[in-house]
């Protein structure tokens, strides 16, 4: 039962990750364009006219924040979050599983806090709007909630995969594989053919 649930969760994760990659590419291009437009505005347009592109600063800031929170789920999926394996490499299989479950419980607490208080802040700022683009407060304060929800989904998918035996604790990113690229070899020995 857990295996079939994992495969269903993972297939949806593949689809969401592919969509996020394209969305992030669009946002990076838009952010780059707005920053470039702001530079052109400050050094060229303002000197020859009185017109100013004042929205570009706010838009680029908001896009950078949104890009960061949209990539968090992909980082959790790939296992590319920063981690220290000083303790992990000295533990046996049961110790590794205990450490994995402990870190996942702590991660669940952080995600709950992020989602719960993120929604509360979104609701408290519902009647606000940004100064230049007039973005509603709920949308303006939604990136932390979006990022936490993406992380929570990947957390659940990985946890079900580990509990079903399909994934290895702390190495799930390599086994799940990201749809769009290959992980580089970690050392020279990994690149050499086995004899």
């Amino acid at each position: 039962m857990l295996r079939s649930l994992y495969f269903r969760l993972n297939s949806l994760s593949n689809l969401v990750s592919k969509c996020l990659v394209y969305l992030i590419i669009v946002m990076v291009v838009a952010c780059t364009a707005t920053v470039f437009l702001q530079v052109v505005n400050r050094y060229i347009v303002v000197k020859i006219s009185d017109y100013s592109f004042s929205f570009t600063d706010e838009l680029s800031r908001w896009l950078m924040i949104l890009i960061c929170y949209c990539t968090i789920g992909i980082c959790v999926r790939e296992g590319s979050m920063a981690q220290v394996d000083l303790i992990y490499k000295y533990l046996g299989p049961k110790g590794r599983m205990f450490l994995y479950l402990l870190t996942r419980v702590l991660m669940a607490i952080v995600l709950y806090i992020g989602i719960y208080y993120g929604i509360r802040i979104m609701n408290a700022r519902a009647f606000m709007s940004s100064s230049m683009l007039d973005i509603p407060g709920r949308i303006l304060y939604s990136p932390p909630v979006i990022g936490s929800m993406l992380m929570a989904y990947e957390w659940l998918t990985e946890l079900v995969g580990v509990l079903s035996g399909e994934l290895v604790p702390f190495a799930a990113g390599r086994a799940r594989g990201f749809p769009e690229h290959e992980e580089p070899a970690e050392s020279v020995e990994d690149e050499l053919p086995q004899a």
Side-chain angles (χ1 to χ4, degrees):
M1 182 175 141
L2 279 178
R3 289 184 68 191
S4 65
L5 177 61
Y6 164 69
F7 287 121
R8 278 188 261 133
L9 290 171
N10 195 44
S11 65
L12 181 61
S13 175
N14 288 339
L15 178 66
V16 170
S17 295
K18 284 182 181 181
C19 293
L20 279 174
V21 166
Y22 294 121
L23 179 65
I24 290 166
I25 289 169
V26 168
M27 288 190 296
V28 166
V29 170
C31 186
T32 304
T34 56
V35 170
F36 180 75
L37 186 60
Q38 181 64 19
V39 170
V40 168
N41 177 55
R42 283 188 185 172
Y43 295 106
I44 299 171
V45 175
V46 173
K47 294 185 180 189
I48 58 176
S49 76
D50 290 335
Y51 188 75
S52 176
F53 299 113
S54 54
F55 70 92
T56 56
D57 182 48
E58 185 176 301
L59 181 60
S60 62
R61 236 180 306 135
W62 194 71
L63 283 171
M64 282 188 252
I65 292 167
L66 195 55
I67 289 165
C68 291
Y69 281 108
C70 284
T71 56
I72 287 176
I74 295 172
C75 291
V76 171
R77 177 190 165 80
E78 288 185 335
S80 59
M81 303 291 271
Q83 62 187 20
V84 178
D85 62 355
L86 182 65
I87 298 170
Y88 174 78
K89 65 182 176 181
Y90 294 112
L91 296 175
K94 288 183 181 178
R96 289 178 179 179
M97 182 59 91
F98 175 77
L99 183 63
Y100 176 80
L101 292 175
L102 176 67
T103 58
R104 292 320 180 244
V105 167
L106 294 173
M107 190 174 176
I109 293 168
V110 170
L111 288 172
Y112 173 77
I113 291 169
I115 293 170
Y116 178 76
Y117 285 104
I119 291 172
R120 287 188 65 177
I121 290 170
M122 283 171 54
N123 290 333
R125 305 289 191 263
F127 300 107
M128 294 177 56
S129 62
S130 65
S131 58
M132 294 295 164
L133 295 173
D134 204 32
I135 299 171
R138 278 200 173 107
I139 294 173
L140 200 60
Y141 287 90
S142 66
V145 176
I146 292 168
S148 295
M149 287 180 171
L150 289 169
M151 282 180 68
Y153 185 79
E154 295 300 337
W155 170 88
L156 177 66
T157 304
E158 182 183 293
L159 183 65
V160 170
V162 168
L163 293 177
S164 69
E166 287 294 317
L167 301 176
V168 177
F170 298 109
R174 281 183 236 132
R176 287 178 73 191
F178 191 65
E180 298 296 323
H181 78 271
E182 292 286 321
E183 286 290 319
E186 290 186 13
S187 66
V188 175
E189 290 84 27
D190 291 342
E191 295 175 356
L192 297 175
Q194 300 294 327

